[in-house]
Structures are given as structure tokens and as C-alpha cells.
Amino acid sequence: FKAGGGNPTMLLTGKMGDVMQESARIGQSFARAFMRRVDPHCHLLDSASLHLHVPEGATPKDGPSAGCTMVTAMLSLAMDRPARADLAMTGEISLTGKVLPVGGIREKVMAARRAGVTCLVLPENNRKDVEELPDHAVAGLDINFASEYADVFEVAFGARPEAMAAQLAAAREAQGTADARA
């Protein structure tokens, strides 16, 4: 991240194919628009230069599955608030915020379980894939389904976008009052 004074840019590095690079660009566009809804006073995503790096690993990374994750990371940066620590997610994001289905749900659920993750956000249209999993594969997991990004946001940050907007406005007002007293 580098604060900028003009057009937002994004440097993409690491092991990303064309589809994932496109997903990152769509995610950046959507995150900028969504942030205006959550906090109209925050212009970080409108002017910052971001560097998104996807390390090379054993799993090829050339799909849209990380769209929701990339948007969540950008919003976390802009709001200076972490997403919940026990969370894993997957889902393609559209420019309008729809969470689109992805492949490999079985493998992703099992990988999350192996990593000790207890809360998952998956596309609503992948519900049937989860229902086909054996009970032991999903036991103890808090699985949430999202049809739009606001559903992802609520799980990741603990509030609907409208409620978060009110929280951020109240915090800004309290900070202004404290600054005026100082």
C-alpha cells in the first residue's frame, strides 16, 4: 500500500494467471464503490497504490475464486479493521457485488478444516455442493452462504454495511469531539 494523490493503481505480482488478475481488478473496482457506501469520507481506495502479491505455492492460482477474499482484504485496509481471524472464504465477485459460484468446494472445505478454520463463507449457489459433503466434513464448521458481497461483509466484519457506516460515522464524530477538546 502506498498513499497516492491521483488515480488508484494496483500492482499484481506472484503466481497469478490472467483470470485471477482480472478478478483482482474487478475486486478493486467493486471495493472502491463499496467503501464509498460504508464510509464516504474514506478515500484511500480512490487514491492509493496497492500491491497485491499471490505467492507461488503447490496449488495453481488462476481462477476467480479469490474475488471475495481480495475485496475483503482491501476493505480491511481501508477501514483499518481486521476481518475475523477464524474465517476462510471463496467466491467470485461481480462488478455489482454478486457472489458467484466457484468449483472445488469439497477441497476448499477440507483445506479450511485442516488449517483450523471454523467459519466459512461460500457462494449461495454452491450450497448444493456443501449438502453433498459427508456430515463429518462439515461438523463443527460455521458455514455461511452469500449471494451478495454485503453477506460476506457481515460475516467478516460483524456488521451489515449500513451498521458499519453508522459505527464509523460515530467514531469519526467522537474523534472530532476529542480533537476539539485537546
Coordinates of all heavy atoms in Angstrom, one line a residue, residues 45-99:
L45 N -9.0 4.0 -1.1 CA -9.1 3.1 -2.2 C -9.3 3.9 -3.5 O -9.0 3.4 -4.6 CB -10.2 2.0 -2.1 CG -10.0 1.1 -0.9 CD1 -11.2 0.1 -0.9 CD2 -8.7 0.3 -1.1
D46 N -9.6 5.2 -3.4 CA -9.8 6.0 -4.6 C -8.5 6.6 -5.0 O -8.4 7.2 -6.1 CB -10.8 7.1 -4.3 CG -12.2 6.6 -4.2 OD1 -12.5 5.7 -5.0 OD2 -13.0 7.1 -3.4
S47 N -7.5 6.6 -4.1 CA -6.2 7.3 -4.5 C -5.0 6.5 -4.2 O -3.9 6.9 -4.6 CB -6.1 8.6 -3.7 OG -6.2 8.4 -2.3
A48 N -5.1 5.3 -3.5 CA -3.9 4.6 -3.1 C -3.4 3.7 -4.2 O -4.1 3.2 -5.1 CB -4.2 3.7 -1.9
S49 N -2.1 3.4 -4.2 CA -1.5 2.4 -5.0 C -1.4 1.2 -4.1 O -0.8 1.2 -3.1 CB -0.1 2.9 -5.4 OG -0.1 4.0 -6.2
L50 N -2.0 0.1 -4.6 CA -2.0 -1.2 -3.9 C -1.1 -2.2 -4.6 O -0.9 -2.1 -5.8 CB -3.4 -1.8 -3.8 CG -4.5 -0.9 -3.2 CD1 -5.8 -1.6 -3.3 CD2 -4.1 -0.7 -1.7
H51 N -0.5 -3.0 -3.8 CA 0.4 -4.1 -4.3 C -0.2 -5.4 -3.8 O -0.2 -5.7 -2.6 CB 1.8 -3.9 -3.9 CG 2.7 -5.0 -4.4 ND1 4.1 -4.8 -4.3 CD2 2.5 -6.1 -5.0 CE1 4.7 -5.9 -4.9 NE2 3.7 -6.7 -5.3
L52 N -0.7 -6.2 -4.7 CA -1.3 -7.5 -4.4 C -0.4 -8.6 -4.9 O -0.1 -8.7 -6.1 CB -2.7 -7.6 -5.0 CG -3.5 -8.9 -4.8 CD1 -3.8 -9.1 -3.3 CD2 -4.7 -8.9 -5.6
H53 N 0.1 -9.4 -3.9 CA 1.0 -10.4 -4.2 C 0.4 -11.8 -3.9 O 0.0 -12.0 -2.7 CB 2.4 -10.3 -3.5 CG 3.4 -11.3 -3.8 ND1 4.0 -11.5 -5.0 CD2 3.8 -12.4 -3.0 CE1 4.8 -12.5 -5.0 NE2 4.7 -13.1 -3.8
V54 N 0.4 -12.7 -4.8 CA 0.0 -14.1 -4.5 C 1.2 -15.0 -4.6 O 1.7 -15.2 -5.7 CB -1.1 -14.5 -5.5 CG1 -1.5 -15.9 -5.3 CG2 -2.3 -13.6 -5.4
P55 N 1.6 -15.5 -3.5 CA 2.9 -16.3 -3.5 C 2.7 -17.6 -4.3 O 1.6 -18.1 -4.4 CB 3.1 -16.6 -2.0 CG 2.2 -15.8 -1.3 CD 1.1 -15.3 -2.2
E56 N 3.7 -18.0 -4.9 CA 3.7 -19.3 -5.6 C 3.6 -20.4 -4.6 O 4.2 -20.4 -3.6 CB 5.0 -19.5 -6.4 CG 4.9 -20.7 -7.3 CD 6.1 -20.8 -8.3 OE1 6.9 -19.8 -8.3 OE2 6.2 -21.8 -9.0
G57 N 2.7 -21.4 -4.8 CA 2.6 -22.5 -3.9 C 2.3 -23.7 -4.7 O 2.4 -23.8 -5.9
A58 N 1.9 -24.8 -4.0 CA 1.6 -26.0 -4.6 C 0.3 -26.0 -5.4 O 0.1 -26.8 -6.3 CB 1.6 -27.1 -3.6
T59 N -0.6 -25.1 -5.1 CA -1.9 -25.1 -5.7 C -1.9 -24.0 -6.8 O -1.6 -22.8 -6.5 CB -3.0 -24.8 -4.7 OG1 -2.9 -25.7 -3.6 CG2 -4.3 -24.8 -5.3
P60 N -2.2 -24.4 -8.0 CA -2.2 -23.3 -9.1 C -3.3 -22.3 -8.8 O -4.3 -22.6 -8.2 CB -2.6 -24.1 -10.3 CG -2.5 -25.6 -10.0 CD -2.5 -25.7 -8.5
K61 N -3.0 -21.1 -9.1 CA -3.9 -20.0 -8.8 C -4.3 -19.2 -10.0 O -3.7 -18.2 -10.4 CB -3.3 -19.0 -7.7 CG -3.1 -19.7 -6.4 CD -2.1 -18.9 -5.5 CE -1.7 -19.7 -4.3 NZ -0.7 -20.8 -4.7
D62 N -5.3 -19.7 -10.8 CA -5.7 -19.0 -11.9 C -7.2 -19.1 -12.1 O -7.7 -19.6 -13.1 CB -5.0 -19.5 -13.2 CG -5.4 -18.6 -14.4 OD1 -5.7 -17.4 -14.1 OD2 -5.3 -19.0 -15.5
G63 N -7.9 -18.7 -11.1 CA -9.4 -18.7 -11.2 C -9.9 -17.5 -10.4 O -9.2 -16.7 -9.8
P64 N -11.2 -17.3 -10.5 CA -11.9 -16.2 -9.9 C -12.2 -16.4 -8.4 O -12.8 -15.5 -7.8 CB -13.1 -16.0 -10.7 CG -13.5 -17.4 -11.1 CD -12.2 -18.1 -11.3
S65 N -11.9 -17.5 -7.9 CA -12.3 -17.9 -6.5 C -11.9 -16.9 -5.4 O -12.5 -16.9 -4.4 CB -11.9 -19.3 -6.1 OG -12.4 -20.2 -7.0
A66 N -10.9 -16.2 -5.6 CA -10.4 -15.3 -4.6 C -11.0 -13.9 -4.6 O -10.6 -13.0 -3.8 CB -8.8 -15.2 -4.7
G67 N -11.9 -13.7 -5.5 CA -12.5 -12.3 -5.6 C -13.0 -11.8 -4.3 O -12.7 -10.6 -3.9
C68 N -13.9 -12.5 -3.6 CA -14.4 -12.0 -2.3 C -13.3 -11.8 -1.3 O -13.4 -10.8 -0.5 CB -15.4 -13.0 -1.7 SG -17.0 -13.1 -2.6
T69 N -12.3 -12.7 -1.3 CA -11.2 -12.5 -0.3 C -10.4 -11.3 -0.6 O -10.0 -10.5 0.3 CB -10.3 -13.8 -0.4 OG1 -11.1 -14.9 -0.3 CG2 -9.2 -13.7 0.6
M70 N -10.1 -11.0 -1.9 CA -9.4 -9.8 -2.2 C -10.2 -8.5 -1.9 O -9.6 -7.6 -1.3 CB -9.0 -9.8 -3.7 CG -8.0 -10.8 -4.0 SD -7.4 -10.8 -5.7 CE -8.6 -11.8 -6.6
V71 N -11.5 -8.5 -2.1 CA -12.3 -7.4 -1.7 C -12.2 -7.2 -0.2 O -12.1 -6.0 0.3 CB -13.7 -7.5 -2.2 CG1 -14.7 -6.5 -1.6 CG2 -13.8 -7.5 -3.7
T72 N -12.4 -8.2 0.5 CA -12.3 -8.2 2.0 C -11.0 -7.6 2.5 O -11.0 -6.8 3.4 CB -12.6 -9.6 2.6 OG1 -13.9 -10.0 2.1 CG2 -12.6 -9.5 4.1
A73 N -9.9 -8.0 1.9 CA -8.6 -7.5 2.3 C -8.5 -6.0 2.0 O -8.0 -5.3 2.8 CB -7.5 -8.3 1.5
M74 N -9.0 -5.6 0.9 CA -8.9 -4.2 0.5 C -9.8 -3.3 1.5 O -9.4 -2.3 1.9 CB -9.3 -3.9 -0.9 CG -8.3 -4.4 -1.9 SD -8.9 -4.1 -3.6 CE -8.6 -5.7 -4.4
L75 N -11.0 -3.8 1.8 CA -11.8 -3.1 2.7 C -11.3 -3.1 4.1 O -11.4 -2.1 4.8 CB -13.2 -3.7 2.7 CG -14.0 -3.6 1.4 CD1 -15.3 -4.3 1.5 CD2 -14.2 -2.1 1.0
S76 N -10.6 -4.2 4.5 CA -10.0 -4.2 5.8 C -8.9 -3.1 5.9 O -8.8 -2.4 6.9 CB -9.4 -5.6 6.1 OG -8.7 -5.7 7.3
L77 N -8.1 -3.0 4.9 CA -7.1 -2.0 4.8 C -7.7 -0.6 4.9 O -7.3 0.2 5.7 CB -6.3 -2.1 3.5 CG -5.2 -1.1 3.2 CD1 -4.1 -1.1 4.2 CD2 -4.7 -1.2 1.8
A78 N -8.7 -0.4 4.1 CA -9.3 1.0 4.0 C -10.0 1.4 5.4 O -9.9 2.5 5.8 CB -10.4 1.0 2.9
M79 N -10.6 0.4 6.0 CA -11.3 0.7 7.3 C -10.4 0.6 8.5 O -10.7 1.0 9.6 CB -12.5 -0.3 7.5 CG -13.6 -0.1 6.5 SD -15.0 -1.2 6.9 CE -14.3 -2.8 7.0
D80 N -9.2 0.1 8.3 CA -8.2 -0.2 9.3 C -8.8 -1.1 10.4 O -8.7 -0.9 11.6 CB -7.7 1.1 10.0 CG -6.5 0.9 10.8 OD1 -5.7 -0.1 10.6 OD2 -6.2 1.7 11.7
R81 N -9.5 -2.1 9.9 CA -10.2 -3.1 10.8 C -9.9 -4.5 10.3 O -10.1 -4.7 9.1 CB -11.7 -2.9 10.8 CG -12.1 -1.6 11.5 CD -13.7 -1.5 11.5 NE -14.0 -0.2 12.1 CZ -14.8 -0.2 13.1 NH1 -15.3 -1.2 13.7 NH2 -15.1 1.0 13.7
P82 N -9.5 -5.4 11.1 CA -9.2 -6.7 10.6 C -10.5 -7.5 10.4 O -11.5 -7.3 11.2 CB -8.4 -7.4 11.7 CG -8.8 -6.6 13.0 CD -9.1 -5.2 12.5
A83 N -10.5 -8.4 9.5 CA -11.6 -9.4 9.4 C -11.4 -10.4 10.5 O -10.3 -10.5 11.0 CB -11.6 -10.1 8.0
R84 N -12.5 -11.1 10.8 CA -12.4 -12.1 11.9 C -11.3 -13.1 11.5 O -11.1 -13.5 10.4 CB -13.7 -12.8 12.2 CG -14.3 -13.6 11.1 CD -15.7 -14.0 11.4 NE -15.7 -15.2 12.3 CZ -16.7 -15.8 12.8 NH1 -17.9 -15.4 12.5 NH2 -16.6 -16.8 13.6
A85 N -10.6 -13.6 12.6 CA -9.4 -14.4 12.4 C -9.6 -15.8 12.0 O -8.8 -16.5 11.4 CB -8.5 -14.3 13.6
D86 N -10.8 -16.4 12.3 CA -11.1 -17.8 12.1 C -11.9 -18.0 10.8 O -12.6 -19.0 10.6 CB -11.9 -18.3 13.3 CG -13.3 -17.7 13.4 OD1 -13.5 -16.6 12.9 OD2 -14.2 -18.3 14.1
L87 N -11.7 -17.1 9.9 CA -12.5 -17.0 8.7 C -11.8 -17.5 7.4 O -10.6 -17.1 7.2 CB -13.1 -15.6 8.5 CG -13.9 -15.3 7.2 CD1 -15.2 -16.1 7.3 CD2 -14.2 -13.8 7.2
A88 N -12.5 -18.2 6.6 CA -12.0 -18.5 5.2 C -13.2 -18.3 4.3 O -14.3 -18.4 4.7 CB -11.5 -20.0 5.1
M89 N -12.9 -17.9 3.1 CA -14.0 -17.6 2.1 C -13.5 -17.9 0.7 O -12.4 -18.0 0.4 CB -14.4 -16.2 2.2 CG -13.4 -15.2 1.8 SD -13.9 -13.4 2.1 CE -13.8 -13.3 3.8
T90 N -14.5 -18.1 -0.1 CA -14.3 -18.3 -1.5 C -15.5 -17.7 -2.3 O -16.6 -17.6 -1.7 CB -14.0 -19.7 -1.9 OG1 -13.6 -19.8 -3.3 CG2 -15.2 -20.6 -1.8
G91 N -15.3 -17.3 -3.5 CA -16.4 -16.8 -4.3 C -15.9 -15.8 -5.3 O -15.1 -14.9 -4.9
E92 N -16.4 -15.9 -6.5 CA -16.1 -14.9 -7.5 C -17.0 -13.7 -7.2 O -18.2 -13.8 -6.8 CB -16.4 -15.4 -8.9 CG -16.2 -14.5 -10.0 CD -16.4 -15.1 -11.4 OE1 -16.8 -16.3 -11.5 OE2 -16.3 -14.3 -12.4
I93 N -16.5 -12.5 -7.4 CA -17.3 -11.3 -7.2 C -17.5 -10.6 -8.6 O -16.7 -10.6 -9.4 CB -16.5 -10.3 -6.3 CG1 -17.4 -9.1 -5.8 CG2 -15.3 -9.7 -6.9 CD1 -18.3 -9.5 -4.6
S94 N -18.7 -10.1 -8.7 CA -19.1 -9.4 -10.0 C -18.9 -7.9 -9.7 O -18.8 -7.4 -8.6 CB -20.5 -9.7 -10.4 OG -21.4 -9.0 -9.6
L95 N -18.9 -7.1 -10.7 CA -18.8 -5.6 -10.6 C -20.0 -5.1 -9.8 O -19.9 -4.0 -9.2 CB -18.7 -5.0 -12.0 CG -17.4 -5.1 -12.6 CD1 -17.5 -4.5 -14.1 CD2 -16.3 -4.3 -11.9
T96 N -21.1 -5.8 -9.8 CA -22.3 -5.3 -9.0 C -22.4 -5.9 -7.6 O -23.3 -5.6 -6.9 CB -23.6 -5.6 -9.8 OG1 -23.7 -7.0 -10.0 CG2 -23.6 -4.8 -11.1
G97 N -21.4 -6.7 -7.2 CA -21.3 -7.3 -5.9 C -22.0 -8.6 -5.7 O -22.2 -9.1 -4.6
K98 N -22.4 -9.2 -6.8 CA -23.0 -10.6 -6.7 C -21.8 -11.6 -6.4 O -20.7 -11.4 -6.9 CB -23.6 -11.0 -8.0 CG -24.7 -10.1 -8.5 CD -26.0 -10.5 -7.8 CE -27.2 -9.7 -8.3 NZ -28.0 -9.1 -7.3
V99 N -22.1 -12.5 -5.5 CA -21.1 -13.6 -5.2 C -21.5 -14.8 -6.1 O -22.6 -15.4 -5.9 CB -21.1 -13.9 -3.7 CG1 -20.2 -15.1 -3.4 CG2 -20.8 -12.7 -2.9

